[in-house]
Amino acid sequence: MPGAAFLRGDRVTLRTVEEEDLEFIRDNIDDPRVRRPLTSANPTNLETTREHFDERISDDDAGVELAVCVDDGPRDGDILGTVSLFDVDNSDGHAEIAYWLSPDVHGDGIMTEAARLLVRYAFEELRLHRVRGRALATNPASQRVLEKTGMQREGVMREAENVNGEYVDMVYFGVLREEWEERDWRVGAQ
């Protein structure tokens, strides 16, 4: 597995994103099943993916972006997507989580475990007070991932995104550290 393991769960390892991952990232970000929920309409090429890698992934101040890998089966150690914390504000104690996963492993619980690992990192290691997330109203699977990390629905921004010419609501979620600790939303917990 390229890249150092950063966080480990029961089935998932989050590791650093490395240059050899860039083609996989580009190919998946351009897949309509991935880019539409990310509200990304622009095509990416290897150069724009490399720029993102240089400017955001490799920059310690930009947050944390990690490769999501599984620890068993035929794809053992392969990158399957990314999960990230961005807009990290240490003075106010909050950040936002974002993620995407290769469509061929949607619905396997991989992203739920990856998101829980990163939320745990945000609260236990970064000592943040609040983590927030958002998902299109038309993406119930992503909303479930946020709920399964202990987040509560906080509101809806009506017709906030234009997806394929249609305005779609954006649903906002959040969890406070003490709520997360009380409910024991860590990896392996129900």
Side-chain angles (χ1 to χ4, degrees):
M1 171 178 9
F6 187 72
L7 299 169
R8 285 192 189 276
D10 295 332
R11 295 187 317 144
V12 171
T13 295
L14 302 183
R15 65 163 173 82
T16 57
V17 175
E18 301 296 337
E19 191 159 342
E20 55 263 28
D21 299 322
L22 298 183
E23 286 186 32
F24 172 85
I25 291 171
R26 177 215 46 215
D27 293 347
N28 277 273
I29 293 294
D30 279 347
D31 185 320
R33 296 170 295 175
V34 173
R35 76 176 156 78
R36 286 184 182 136
L38 292 175
T39 66
S40 175
N42 297 327
T44 58
N45 59 31
L46 197 52
E47 185 57 35
T48 57
T49 305
R50 185 168 281 107
E51 287 172 9
H52 174 77
F53 176 77
D54 291 339
E55 293 172 11
R56 295 198 38 115
I57 297 174
S58 299
D59 182 358
D60 291 338
D61 294 331
V64 176
E65 187 162 350
L66 298 167
V68 176
C69 306
V70 290
D71 294 331
D72 59 7
R75 298 187 77 169
D76 184 32
D78 292 346
I79 182 174
L80 301 176
T82 67
V83 61
S84 49
L85 278 178
F86 66 99
D87 288 344
V88 178
D89 185 333
N90 289 314
S91 62
D92 286 336
H94 57 80
E96 185 165 343
I97 190 170
Y99 45 82
W100 64 269
L101 200 58
S102 177
D104 59 331
V105 291
H106 284 182
D108 291 344
I110 293 167
M111 189 50 71
T112 296
E113 185 173 337
R116 284 181 178 175
L117 283 168
L118 199 57
V119 170
R120 182 180 77 194
Y121 168 77
F123 289 140
E124 292 181 358
E125 295 188 44
L126 296 181
R127 305 302 299 162
L128 296 179
H129 176 68
R130 182 176 188 279
V131 176
R132 64 186 183 277
R134 57 190 155 136
L136 292 172
T138 55
N139 190 349
S142 187
Q143 292 178 53
R144 279 192 305 277
V145 167
L146 295 170
E147 290 168 345
K148 288 180 177 183
T149 62
M151 293 191 190
Q152 298 176 33
R153 182 178 168 142
E154 295 183 333
V156 175
M157 187 177 290
R158 297 176 304 129
E159 297 185 0
E161 295 289 335
N162 187 323
V163 180
N164 294 333
E166 178 185 349
Y167 287 99
V168 178
D169 295 350
M170 184 66 74
V171 184
Y172 289 83
F173 294 82
V175 61
L176 303 177
R177 182 177 1 156
E178 60 268 11
E179 293 169 339
W180 183 81
E181 290 170 345
E182 285 173 10
R183 298 280 309 268
D184 196 22
W185 285 101
R186 287 164 278 194
V187 174
Q190 292 290 35

